[in-house]
Amino acid sequence: MAATQRAVCDTADQANVKTSIFEKVSYGMGDVACNVVFALTSGLVTYFYTNVMSISAAMVGMIMLFSRLFDGISDVAIGLIMDKVHSKHGRGRAWVLWMALPYGVSAVALFCLPANATMVAQGIYIFITYNLCTTIVYTALNLPYAAMAPLMTRNEQDLSRINLFRMAMSPIGNMIVSAATLPIINRMGGDQAAWIKVTLIYSAVAILFLLWCFFGTKERVNTQAAQEAEKLPIGVRFSALVHNKYFLLILFSSLFLAVYQTVNGTCATYYSQYILGNNEYYGVLNLAENIPQVAVIMILAPFIKKFGKRNLVLAGALLTLAAQLTLLFVPANPVYVAVVAALRGVGKAPLFGCVFTMMADVVNYGHWKTGVRVQALIFSAATVGQKFGGGITGSVIGNLMDASGFTGLAEEIPSAVAMVQNLYIWGTIFAWAVIAALMFAYKLDKQYDGMMSEMAQKGMLKQAD
């Protein structure tokens, strides 16, 4: 009996441990790697298809739409599989190891499009490789990775810091890819071979970062409630999900965040080329947006404690919205557009810094509200919103640009240029206005401490043996 009690105490101590700086950095390296391919697939690959390979924007948009629908289904599937597959390496961490090499290979395959094939054959190739990379491999890597943080510690403050490290480091991969890709490729000739060579280098580095993440982290949390939930029928688990009102708010916030990321990632390249006059401004705008974002995320912790996650996210959304509205009056000045990008970076930092901690809060709320702890399913279903939002937005962008007469040539007709400008400005305004409205309805911060105390008193957070 004494030995059993000591084992339970040791397990509880492990669950409440505060992770080291090295482990936090190691975890963050996983998102640096994930953002390499995200930067490619959210914007640059569309530019590659239309402006390098001369593929119709409408066809690319349609492929993105169907791919994202499949991608949303794959998120739920991976979430269910995660609940069933147990490895000596952990529930989430194991997938980082298993998917590292396929991740790099599938990213390179995106750019190996047969140049002389028929349009139908090219469309099939894009559909297969894009879904291999994003629907299968990226989902099987990024979803378990996102679910790792609550498995590393149950200490709330430490969990917040883990996610702040993650989201402060997350834009690094995106910044490097966004800032360096077009200048490097332009100087290598700008052809397909240049895109393949650069992606090979990115993929090799990303694989090394994923291995760093795997070897530098450890999972410690495995609650008894989570083990019991794995045995419940799928219908019961989904019922617990849809009766969690804060999950629905985070789901739609993720969806409209994806709308923003898709609009910004896809249209910023075209905006730089056709409104600002040089496609290499794309990298400047990304740096201008992401450097302030990283800086703000790094200092968020004391502000989260003082003001709460929801209040910071709401204030940031309103700042982003206000900054973007001013772009209507000065749309073609590169310096001013960069200033607005920097303000967007400051404004979106609270959402990026807090969203995954908020998801962990939502897991606890659902457990308290329904008695069912559906951790992996909540993380997977939330990313469904991101995938559907990105897919639908990508399709809308492609069709609107095609309808405007967009050709992908160096000189575009006025209607196509106007469409690019309107999408870039109004798409962001629309997305952040909806996020702000959703945050007005999010009240979980006010009841969270009392809820957690009640759960602890009832033994709902008991660690599994």
Side-chain angles (χ1 to χ4, degrees):
M1 177 66 73
T4 302
Q5 289 176 336
R6 282 196 301 272
V8 171
C9 290
D10 290 344
T11 305
D13 290 342
Q14 278 284 302
N16 287 293
V17 72
K18 289 188 177 181
T19 56
S20 66
I21 296 293
F22 177 77
E23 187 169 6
K24 292 180 177 74
V25 171
S26 298
Y27 181 65
M29 280 298 174
D31 220 21
V32 174
C34 287
N35 267 275
V36 170
V37 166
F38 182 81
L40 291 172
T41 58
S42 65
L44 288 170
V45 75
T46 301
Y47 183 85
F48 167 77
Y49 290 145
T50 58
N51 287 43
V52 178
M53 305 303 291
S54 300
I55 306 297
S56 161
M59 185 174 81
V60 174
M62 188 58 65
I63 291 172
M64 299 298 178
L65 173 60
F66 282 109
S67 298
R68 291 303 189 186
L69 294 176
F70 288 127
D71 205 359
I73 296 170
S74 74
D75 278 12
V76 177
I78 291 295
L80 293 173
I81 292 170
M82 270 189 67
D83 281 339
K84 299 296 183 184
V85 175
H86 298 274
S87 164
K88 64 180 181 180
H89 300 305
R91 297 176 61 194
R93 183 169 163 266
W95 294 85
V96 175
L97 176 64
W98 297 337
M99 291 295 115
L101 183 59
Y103 171 80
V105 172
S106 63
V108 176
L110 289 171
F111 298 90
C112 295
L113 177 68
N116 298 318
T118 65
M119 184 173 66
V120 172
Q122 287 180 326
I124 293 172
Y125 182 89
I126 293 171
F127 182 82
I128 292 173
T129 54
Y130 190 83
N131 277 281
L132 174 65
C133 181
T134 62
T135 303
I136 299 174
V137 176
Y138 185 81
T139 298
L141 166 64
N142 191 253
L143 174 59
Y145 167 79
M148 272 177 62
L151 300 174
M152 292 166 63
T153 181
R154 202 167 62 198
N155 183 288
E156 185 182 353
Q157 291 185 350
D158 196 50
L159 178 59
S160 292
R161 292 190 181 96
I162 289 172
N163 281 310
L164 287 176
F165 264 84
R166 172 194 175 177
M167 299 313 295
M169 295 174 65
S170 170
I172 293 173
N174 196 311
M175 281 192 294
I176 292 172
V177 171
S178 300
T181 299
L182 287 173
I184 292 173
I185 285 173
N186 287 342
R187 284 152 185 75
M188 293 175 66
D191 58 2
Q192 183 180 14
W195 283 83
I196 293 172
K197 291 173 185 175
V198 170
T199 307
L200 272 168
I201 296 170
Y202 289 159
S203 297
V205 173
I207 290 170
L208 292 176
F209 285 167
L210 289 173
L211 293 177
W212 182 346
C213 174
F214 172 77
F215 287 109
T217 57
K218 181 179 179 181
E219 292 185 13
R220 302 173 180 86
V221 179
N222 185 23
T223 64
Q224 182 175 315
Q227 286 191 352
E228 292 170 353
E230 293 165 11
K231 302 172 185 177
L232 295 173
I234 293 176
V236 174
R237 291 150 72 191
F238 270 107
S239 177
L241 202 64
V242 299
H243 285 91
N244 186 332
K245 63 181 179 181
Y246 292 117
F247 162 73
L248 296 175
L249 290 174
I250 293 296
L251 171 67
F252 284 104
S253 296
S254 298
L255 189 154
F256 284 96
L257 176 60
V259 170
Y260 164 70
Q261 289 176 308
T262 304
V263 167
N264 192 52
T266 301
C267 296
T269 317
Y270 301 123
Y271 193 88
S272 298
Q273 180 167 339
Y274 300 117
I275 285 82
L276 302 182
N278 187 336
N279 66 4
E280 292 188 11
Y281 280 131
Y282 174 72
V284 175
L285 295 180
N286 270 276
L287 287 174
E289 183 168 333
N290 284 311
I291 290 174
Q293 177 185 328
V294 171
V296 172
I297 289 174
M298 290 176 68
I299 61 170
L300 268 183
F303 295 97
I304 291 173
K305 188 174 182 180
K306 184 173 182 179
F307 298 106
K309 295 182 280 288
R310 174 263 196 184
N311 290 338
L312 290 176
V313 174
L314 176 58
L318 294 174
L319 172 62
T320 304
L321 186 59
Q324 192 72 6
L325 281 167
T326 68
L327 205 56
L328 292 167
F329 306 102
V330 193
N333 183 305
V335 174
Y336 188 76
V337 175
V339 170
V340 170
L343 291 173
R344 286 201 308 267
V346 174
K348 72 179 187 177
L351 179 56
F352 275 75
C354 297
V355 65
F356 291 104
T357 308
M358 291 171 82
M359 283 188 193
D361 293 347
V362 168
V363 170
N364 286 324
Y365 173 81
H367 185 191
W368 173 76
K369 183 73 175 179
T370 67
V372 179
R373 190 174 186 86
V374 284
Q375 183 164 299
L377 196 55
I378 278 182
F379 276 87
S380 64
T383 59
V384 171
Q386 292 179 313
K387 303 297 176 63
F388 283 176
I392 293 169
T393 305
S395 177
V396 169
I397 289 171
N399 282 287
L400 287 175
M401 289 180 65
D402 198 57
S404 73
F406 179 82
T407 63
L409 300 176
E411 296 294 331
E412 278 294 349
I413 62 174
S415 60
V417 174
M419 180 59 72
V420 168
Q421 180 172 317
N422 285 327
L423 286 169
Y424 180 78
I425 296 175
W426 283 106
T428 295
I429 291 171
F430 171 67
W432 283 97
V434 175
I435 291 171
L438 291 167
M439 285 300 106
F440 271 112
Y442 187 93
K443 310 289 186 183
L444 181 55
D445 286 1
K446 293 182 178 180
Q447 68 183 104
Y448 190 78
D449 288 343
M451 178 189 81
M452 293 300 290
S453 296
E454 183 179 332
M455 291 175 71
Q457 290 172 5
K458 293 180 178 179
M460 296 175 72
L461 299 176
K462 184 180 179 181
Q463 186 80 347
D465 294 339

